[in-house]
C-alpha cells in the first residue's frame, strides 16, 4: 500500500503512529490484531522491533558498524536469531555480497538504501514500513527501489506500507491511501 | 552483535578522543597505584626492620636520625656513646636483649657493622653458608651484599672509612668473609656484620699500631718508614704463629693500642674471649679497654612492655645517652613521608577527576551527532533502558581500559623503580604484589567512567525517536 499526500499532511506522523512511536490523541490502532495502546514502554519497543521493519529516507545506518553489523544489530533488537547463512542469503538477494564488511561511509547511496532495506527484512517482520524511500532518487532508481521493496516484501511474505509524497509511486503498489492536509 | 561490540564500535568513531580519555585515566590510575605500592611497602619495610627493637640507645641528638642510622642504616649516626654507659642499661633487668652497634666503615656502599651475634636474632637472619665470625676481621655478609659485591665464604675485602664512597681504604687489614646470610628482605641483607673488636681495631681514635711506625689516629693513617703496615702485621703475626691469646697482654691506662706484637695493657687486663661483643670463644684475646670504648648505638628489646613507660625517660636523663623508640620515630617518619605522598596522591586524583570529566564531555558532546542513531535504535526495537545501558557501557569501557592499563603501568613502574632503588638506595620495593586496597580501588575507578556517563546516558534514555526523526 502507498500512503500518498503532500508535504505536511501528516504522512510521517501517520507512520509513527502505526509504528507505536507516537500515541494517538483518540481512537485505537490495531496492528496484527494487537491494540497498540495496550502496550507500554519496553513491551511496545519489543513489539515494534519484532513486527515492523522500518526503512528511512536517509537510511540511518549505524555509522560505527559495517553492513553485517547493522544487520546483526537489527536482528538482536528484534530478539530474533539469524544465522550467518541467513545473512549471506539476504545480502546476496539484495546485491550486497562482497560489501558485508564495508562501513556505511564506504557505500554508495544505492548500496546504502539496499542495506537499509535488508535491515528492515533481516528479522522477517510481517510489516515493512518505508518512509519517503524515493524522494531523492531519479525516475529509474525510484522505480527500482519500489520494485525491490515489493519483491523483497513478497518474498518475505510481509505487508508493505510506503509513505511518500512522490507522485511517481502512484500505480506502482497494489493500493493507495491518500492523505490530505487539513483545511 | 552485542551491546559491548556496539559500544566499542561507537568509541572507535572518535579514536583520538577515546585515546585521550584512556590516557588520562591510565596516568591517574598508574600514579595512585604507584603511590599506594610505594607507601605500603616502605611502611611495611620500616615496620619489619624495627620489629623486635623496642629502644635504641645512642648519642644525644635527633631521635629520628638515631633510629634511621641504627635501625635502618639510612643516615649518619648522631655520634658515639660510651660502651660502659650503654651496658649499664643493657644489664637492666627490664631488658631481654641488647645488641651493640659500632659503625664507621663501609665496603662498596654497604655498611660494616661491628656488633654481637644476637643481631641475627633481631632480624631473624640465618646463615646460608659458612659460620659466624669468631675472630677479629672476620665478617658475615648479608645476602644482597654477597650478590652485589660478589662476596662468598673465603673472600677478602678492605673496608673504607666512612659510610659513603671515597673514604680511606683500610687496605692493611682486610676482612675475611666467613659466612653469608640467607635473604631476609630486611636491612640486614645489606649489612656486613663483624665483631666490635674488628671495628675498634680500625677506629680506635688515637689508634697507634706501633709507636714508631704506625699511627692512624682519626683514621688519617700515617705509616712509618720501618716497613710496618697492617698487611705485614697480620702476615707476620700468622707466620710467627702469632696469637693474641698467647700474648702476655698488659693493659695500660692509655687508650689501647694494638700495634701487632706490641700490645701493652694495663691493670684492667682482660681478654676478649669474655666479651659479649667479641663473639669470640676461641684463641682471640684482645686488648681493648672496654671502660673507655665507644659504640654508635645499642638496640634494646624489653623483657616486659611495662619498661616502655619508664625506661626511655630514665635513659634520657643520662647526660651521655639518648633513647629513641623506633615505633614512635617510624610513625613520625611515615607521617612526614605521608604528607608528601598525600600531595602526590591528591594530584593523581585530580588526574582521575579530569579523566572522568573528559569522558563526560566526550559522551555528552557525541550525543548531538548520535541523536539519530539513538532514535534509530529505538525504531529498531531498543528499549529506553538499553539506550541508557549502552551509553553507560561506553563510559565504563573507557574506564576499564584506562584503569587496567593504569594498574599494569603502576605495577611495572613500581618494579622498575624498585629495582633502581634497591641498587641505588638499598630499599627493596617490588611491583609484583597486590594490595587488598587495590581491589576496592579497581572497582571504584571502574565506576568513574560509568558515573561520568550517567548524564549522557539519561539524555539517551530520554531520546524521543519520533521527534528526532521528524527533524529531518
Amino acid at each position: 500500500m502507498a500512503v500518498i499526500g503532500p508535504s505536511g499532511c501528516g504522512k510521517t506522523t501517520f507512520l509513527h503512529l502505526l509504528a507505536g512511536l507516537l500515541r494517538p490523541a483518540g481512537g485505537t490502532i490495531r496492528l496484527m490484531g494487537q491494540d497498540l495502546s495496550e502496550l507500554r514502554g519496553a513491551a511496545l519497543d519489543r513489539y515494534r522491533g519484532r513486527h515492523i521493519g522500518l526503512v528511512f529516507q536517509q537510511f540511518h545506518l549505524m555509522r560505527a558498524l559495517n553492513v553485517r553489523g547493522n544487520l546483526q544489530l537489527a536482528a538482536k533488537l528484534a530478539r530474533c536469531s539469524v544465522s550467518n547463512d541467513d545473512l549471506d542469503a539476504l545480502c546476496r538477494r539484495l546485491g550486497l555480497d562482497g560489501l558485508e564488511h564495508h562501513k556505511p561511509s564506504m557505500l554508495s547511496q544505492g548500496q546504502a538504501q539496499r542495506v537499509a532495506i535488508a535491515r528492515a527484512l533481516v528479522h522477517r517482520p510481517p510489516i515493512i514500513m518505508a518512509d519517503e524511500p524515493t524522494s531523492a532518487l531519479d525516475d529509474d532508481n525510484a522505480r527500482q527501489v519500489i520494485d525491490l521493496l515489493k519483491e523483497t516484501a513478497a518474498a518475505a511474505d510481509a505487508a508493505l506500507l510506503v509513505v511518500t509524497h512522490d507522485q511517481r509511486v502512484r500505480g506502482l503498489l497494489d493500493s493507495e491511501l491518500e492523505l490530505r492536509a487539513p483545511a | 552483535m552485542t551491546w559491548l561490540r556496539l559500544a566499542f564500535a561507537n568509541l572507535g568513531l572518535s579514536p583520538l578522543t577515546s585515546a585521550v580519555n584512556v590516557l588520562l585515566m591510565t596516568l591517574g590510575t598508574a600514579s595512585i597505584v604507584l603511590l599506594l605500592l610505594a607507601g605500603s611497602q616502605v611502611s611495611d619495610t620500616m615496620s619489619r626492620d624495627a620489629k623486635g627493637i623496642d629502644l635504641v640507645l645512642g648519642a644525644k641528638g635527633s631521635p629520628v636520625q638515631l633510629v634511621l642510622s641504627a635501625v635502618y642504616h639510612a643516615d649518619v649516626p648522631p655520634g658515639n656513646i660510651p660502651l660502659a654507659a650503654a651496658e649499664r642499661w643493657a644489664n637492666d633487668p627490664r631488658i631481654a636483649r641488647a645488641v651493640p652497634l659500632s659503625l664507621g666503615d663501609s665496603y662498596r656502599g654497604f655498611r660494616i657493622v661491628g656488633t654481637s651475634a644476637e643481631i641475627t636474632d633481631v632480624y631473624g637472619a640465618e646463615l646460608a653458608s659458612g659460620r659466624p665470625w669468631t675472630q677479629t676481621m672476620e665478617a658475615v655478609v648479608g645476602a644482597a651484599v654477597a650478590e652485589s659485591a660478589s662476596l662468598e665464604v673465603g673472600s677478602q675485602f678492605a673496608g673504607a672509612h666512612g659510610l659513603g664512597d671515597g673514604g680511606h681504604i683500610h687496605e692493611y687489614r682486610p676482612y675475611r668473609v666467613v659466612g653469608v646470610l640467607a635473604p631476609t628482605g630486611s636491612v640486614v641483607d645489606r649489612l656486613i656484620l663483624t665483631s666490635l673488636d674488628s671495628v675498634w681495631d680500625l677506629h680506635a681514635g688515637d689508634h697507634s699500631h706501633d709507636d714508631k711506625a704506625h699511627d692512624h689516629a682519626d683514621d688519617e693513617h700515617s705509616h712509618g718508614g720501618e716497613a710496618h703496615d697492617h698487611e705485614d702485621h697480620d702476615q707476620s703475626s700468622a707466620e710467627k704463629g702469632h696469637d693474641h691469646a698467647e700474648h702476655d697482654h698488659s693493659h695500660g691506662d692509655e687508650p689501647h693500642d694494638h700495634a701487632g706484637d706490641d700490645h701493652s695493657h694495663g691493670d684492667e687486663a682482660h681478654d676478649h674471649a669474655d666479651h659479649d661483643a667479641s663473639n669470640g670463644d676461641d684463641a682471640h684475646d684482645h686488648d681493648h679497654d672496654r671502660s673507655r670504648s665507644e659504640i654508635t648505638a645499642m638496640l634494646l628489646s624489653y623483657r616486659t612492655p611495662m619498661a616502655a613507660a619508664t625506661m626511655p625517660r630514665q635513659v634520657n636523663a643520662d647526660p651521655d645517652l639518648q633513647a629513641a623508640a623506633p615505633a614512635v620515630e617510624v610513625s613520625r617518619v611515615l607521617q612526614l613521608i605521608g604528607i608528601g605522598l598525600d600531595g602526590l596522591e591528591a594530584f593523581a586524583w585530580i588526574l582521575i577527576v579530569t579523566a572522568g570529566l573528559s569522558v563526560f564531555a566526550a559522551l555528552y558532546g557525541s550525543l548531538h551527532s548520535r541523536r539519530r542513531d539513538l532514535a534509530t535504535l529505538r525504531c529498531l526495537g531498543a528499549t529506553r533502558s538499553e539506550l541508557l545501558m549502552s551509553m553507560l557501557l561506553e563510559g565504563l569501557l573507557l574506564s576499564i581500559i584506562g584503569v587496567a592499563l593504569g594498574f599494569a603501568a603502576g605495577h611495572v613502574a613500581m618494579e622498575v623503580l624498585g629495582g633502581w632503588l634497591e641498587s641505588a638506595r638499598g630499599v627493596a620495593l617490588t611491583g609484583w604484589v597486590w594490595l587488598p586496597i587495590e581491589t576496592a580501588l579497581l572497582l571504584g575507578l571502574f565506576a568513574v567512567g560509568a558515573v561520568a556517563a550517567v548524564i549522557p546516558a539519561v539524555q539517551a534514555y530520554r531520546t524521543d525517536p519520533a521527534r528526532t526523526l521528524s527533524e529531518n
Side-chain angles (χ1 to χ4, degrees), chain A:
Chain A
M1 173 184 280
V3 179
I4 298 177
S7 295
C9 72
K11 299 185 300 297
T12 297
T13 300
F14 176 68
L15 184 141
H16 287 166
L17 285 166
L18 290 180
L21 295 170
L22 290 174
R23 288 192 174 277
T28 302
I29 298 173
R30 285 187 178 278
L31 205 64
M32 308 286 295
Q34 172 67 51
D35 183 351
L36 295 186
S37 64
E38 293 175 351
L39 299 174
R40 300 276 172 188
L44 181 58
D45 292 328
R46 292 195 189 100
Y47 186 86
R48 180 190 317 118
R50 180 68 196 90
H51 294 90
I52 299 172
L54 279 165
V55 180
F56 303 100
Q57 179 185 355
Q58 295 180 337
F59 321 136
H60 296 322
L61 301 175
M62 293 290 130
R63 294 169 297 149
L65 301 176
N66 60 23
V67 170
R68 198 176 194 84
N70 268 280
L71 300 183
Q72 288 172 327
L73 177 64
K76 177 181 173 57
L77 293 177
R79 281 80 181 168
C80 174
S81 175
V82 178
S83 69
N84 286 331
D85 289 344
D86 291 340
L87 286 178
D88 291 340
L90 181 62
C91 286
R92 268 198 306 277
R93 185 147 55 95
L94 288 166
L96 296 171
D97 36 344
L99 300 175
E100 291 93 335
H101 299 291
H102 284 52
K103 290 279 183 66
S105 59
M106 301 163 68
L107 301 174
S108 68
Q109 193 173 26
Q111 289 168 336
Q113 187 150 37
R114 289 204 294 279
V115 174
I117 292 171
R119 186 177 65 180
L121 294 170
V122 69
H123 55 290
R124 296 180 291 277
I127 303 169
I128 297 170
M129 297 181 184
D131 187 13
E132 302 283 5
T134 60
S135 59
L137 304 177
D138 60 29
D139 290 350
D140 286 345
N141 281 316
R143 175 99 194 190
Q144 284 176 19
V145 165
I146 294 299
D147 288 345
L148 181 61
L149 281 169
K150 285 172 63 180
E151 286 168 20
T152 51
D157 199 21
L160 175 64
L161 186 73
V162 175
V163 173
T164 182
H165 73 282
D166 189 348
Q167 296 296 320
R168 295 172 298 179
V169 176
R170 281 186 181 276
L172 297 180
L173 294 166
D174 296 341
S175 57
E176 291 179 7
L177 175 66
E178 184 168 355
L179 298 182
R180 294 199 178 96

Side-chain angles (χ1 to χ4, degrees), chain B residues 209-211 242 247 257-264:
Chain B
H209 279 257
D210 187 297
D211 54 0
H242 175 97
H247 287 219
D257 70 65
H258 50 118
D261 299 331
D262 192 24
H263 296 285
S264 62

Side-chain angles (χ1 to χ4, degrees), chain B residues 89-167:
Chain B
W89 292 105
N91 294 328
D92 189 289
R94 291 171 292 180
I95 295 302
R97 180 175 60 205
V99 178
L101 300 178
S102 191
L103 308 176
D105 281 357
S106 62
Y107 175 66
R108 293 195 183 179
F110 298 111
R111 293 188 173 193
I112 298 172
V113 182
T115 183
S116 65
E118 286 85 353
I119 193 167
T120 53
D121 299 336
V122 172
Y123 295 107
E126 293 181 350
L127 282 167
S129 61
R131 59 172 175 77
W133 67 87
T134 55
Q135 299 181 43
T136 53
M137 306 317 291
E138 287 186 344
V140 170
V141 299
V145 181
E147 183 182 346
S148 177
S150 301
L151 293 178
E152 56 188 11
V153 174
S155 300
Q156 289 198 335
F157 65 91
H161 185 61
L163 302 177
D165 294 331

